[in-house]
Amino acid sequence: MEIAAIVLILVPVIAYLGYPLVLIGAAAIAGRRRADHSTGGLPTISIVICAYNEAPRIGAKLESVIAALEAWPGAAEIVVGDDGSNDDTCAVVERFAGRGVRLVRGPRGGKAAMLNRIVPSCTGAVLVMSDADPLFDAGTVPALIAPFADPAVGAVAGSVETIRGGGRRGGRFAGADRVFRAYESAMRRAEDDLFGCVSADGGIYAIRAALMPHVVADATDDFYISTAAVAAGRRIAFAPAAKVYEHSIGGDRQQFRRRVRITVRGMTGLWRRRALMNPMRTGWYGVGLIMHKLARRLAPLTLPPLWLLSGLLAARGHMPWSLVFAALSAGFALGAIGFLTMLKLPRPLGLAYGAMLHLAGLGVGVMLFLAGRRYAQWTPQKAPA
């Protein structure tokens, strides 16, 4: 029983703490990767944005993209695909027609269908992908495109930073989101130095147009598209200076539902890209993909049996396991109380509650995936505009 409990406790510790520490330590020893700038010239780029009922946000988004392009001396186009919106999204986008924005209308079919519709019409050698709400930083475009000077780079992941959302409860998880984003960025920087990022965030990333796949409907599109670069034998680079800013989603239930759906779609994407998890084919990237994307999603499933076993061991007088049982009990209680009462918790407890909600969403999402649940089309949760 004790050996089983030790195994159960090691899984989340290694996935969330051990692997990142080893990764960052190895990257520090290896030193910063030197980019190969053997190819010259500026590639043409297409900035691709898919929108569904984004009227309150799409105007600010396009203003930020147009402003960011002022720092880009090369040729660029902005393409917005409207996925059958029934609000004023198209009317807002059409007001930017004279400023280099092209609108493509389509019936409601989901983001994957819209990407497959509009990408063939894009003229850029590099496709810059971004969600409809994150705002571009002024230096985002040149920072994102610079790594493509290295011919070994097939895709580039940018950096997403969280800002406090609007509304009475809009900023409830902003602190937890910022901590998580910093954690992810540290891992991506280390992965980039060692074997390349395992994937990119949908807020901002880019891929060579020649590597763009046909997008499947049931997987997270950012993961599936960016990993097409690895499937083609290229590397995913990380450009921390290529920043976008997005609002935190404030509602507990919104956060939970979002995490469940992302997890189901993420696990589906991993299954579709399972060949990349073979280290015999992809080397250390395969190990990184397993640890970064698979182990972290599976780890929450160890917590309920660990709680049960630690309780049984604590009842037998094993003091260390009493501490484990108490810590897990407190965490589960905090998660349940916070979710049911929606009380505003002080910062340390708020961060812990945000972590528990995140873990719960991961666990439920994995179980739904294993049960055969799939999300081919869904409307993303949004922060208040």
Side-chain angles (χ1 to χ4, degrees):
M1 184 185 298
E2 190 165 10
I3 293 176
I6 291 173
V7 172
L8 289 174
I9 202 171
L10 283 177
V11 171
V13 169
I14 291 174
Y16 287 101
L17 186 60
Y19 170 70
L21 289 177
V22 170
L23 184 74
I24 293 169
I29 294 171
R32 295 293 298 164
R33 176 187 291 273
R34 293 185 178 180
D36 180 359
H37 297 291
S38 58
T39 59
L42 295 174
T44 56
I45 65 172
S46 296
I47 298 178
V48 180
I49 303 166
C50 292
Y52 172 70
N53 287 352
E54 295 285 356
R57 304 170 184 84
I58 194 66
K61 170 72 175 193
L62 292 175
E63 289 287 359
S64 77
V65 173
I66 292 169
L69 283 175
E70 293 179 3
W72 175 248
E77 66 172 350
I78 305 170
V79 183
V80 178
D82 179 73
D83 185 34
S85 296
N86 52 31
D87 66 355
D88 293 330
T89 297
C90 288
V92 174
V93 175
E94 286 173 341
R95 292 202 289 265
F96 290 84
R99 301 170 68 183
V101 178
R102 175 161 60 92
L103 173 66
V104 178
R105 296 173 183 256
R108 177 68 168 148
K111 188 176 182 180
M114 179 51 64
L115 285 171
N116 292 329
R117 174 187 292 268
I118 63 177
V119 164
S121 71
C122 292
T123 60
V126 172
L127 304 173
V128 176
M129 305 289 188
S130 184
D131 293 333
D133 46 342
L135 304 179
F136 276 37
D137 183 79
T140 290
V141 177
L144 187 69
I145 303 303
F148 285 108
D150 183 346
V153 171
V156 180
S159 178
V160 180
E161 296 191 3
T162 300
I163 55 180
R164 187 173 293 274
R168 184 173 64 88
R169 302 182 59 81
R172 178 174 172 84
F173 292 100
D177 285 347
R178 282 192 288 268
V179 171
F180 178 74
R181 293 293 189 189
Y183 173 79
E184 281 287 300
S185 291
M187 292 184 65
R188 282 193 170 130
R189 189 186 296 270
E191 288 169 347
D192 184 33
D193 289 338
L194 296 172
F195 47 75
C197 298
V198 298
S199 66
D201 189 301
I204 180 68
Y205 68 103
I207 186 170
R208 296 184 190 273
L211 304 180
M212 178 71 183
H214 179 85
V215 187
V216 296
D218 57 358
T220 44
D221 54 273
D222 49 1
F223 175 83
Y224 190 78
I225 293 171
S226 62
T227 54
V230 182
R234 304 290 184 94
R235 184 171 63 85
I236 304 173
F238 180 50
K243 298 179 181 179
V244 294
Y245 306 95
E246 70 174 10
H247 294 284
S248 172
I249 297 173
D252 304 56
R253 288 160 179 77
Q254 285 180 303
Q255 281 275 0
F256 180 74
R257 288 194 297 268
R258 177 175 180 264
R259 180 50 49 196
V260 169
R261 288 167 174 167
I262 288 175
T263 301
V264 172
R265 290 168 62 83
M267 290 294 292
T268 305
L270 273 175
W271 175 250
R272 288 184 174 276
R273 294 291 194 201
R274 58 191 180 277
L276 301 183
M277 291 189 283
N278 180 4
M280 298 296 292
R281 174 183 175 184
T282 56
W284 286 107
Y285 172 88
V287 177
L289 184 57
I290 291 170
M291 295 304 300
H292 194 151
K293 291 297 184 180
L294 181 60
R296 286 188 357 185
R297 288 171 173 149
L298 296 178
L301 298 182
T302 67
L303 298 182
L306 177 60
W307 175 78
L308 178 61
L309 287 179
S310 63
L312 293 174
L313 289 167
R316 295 182 180 182
H318 295 266
M319 182 54 65
W321 292 109
S322 298
L323 298 176
V324 173
F325 179 72
L328 287 173
S329 298
F332 292 156
L334 177 65
I337 292 171
F339 191 78
L340 294 174
T341 66
M342 299 182 69
L343 292 174
K344 184 175 178 61
L345 301 170
R347 182 173 176 81
L349 290 179
L351 290 175
Y353 170 60
M356 292 303 299
L357 196 68
H358 178 84
L359 293 173
L362 288 176
V364 172
V366 170
M367 289 189 292
L368 287 176
F369 167 77
L370 294 174
R373 184 74 165 93
R374 299 294 182 267
Y375 291 97
Q377 182 186 122
W378 59 287
T379 303
Q381 304 291 334
K382 297 291 183 181

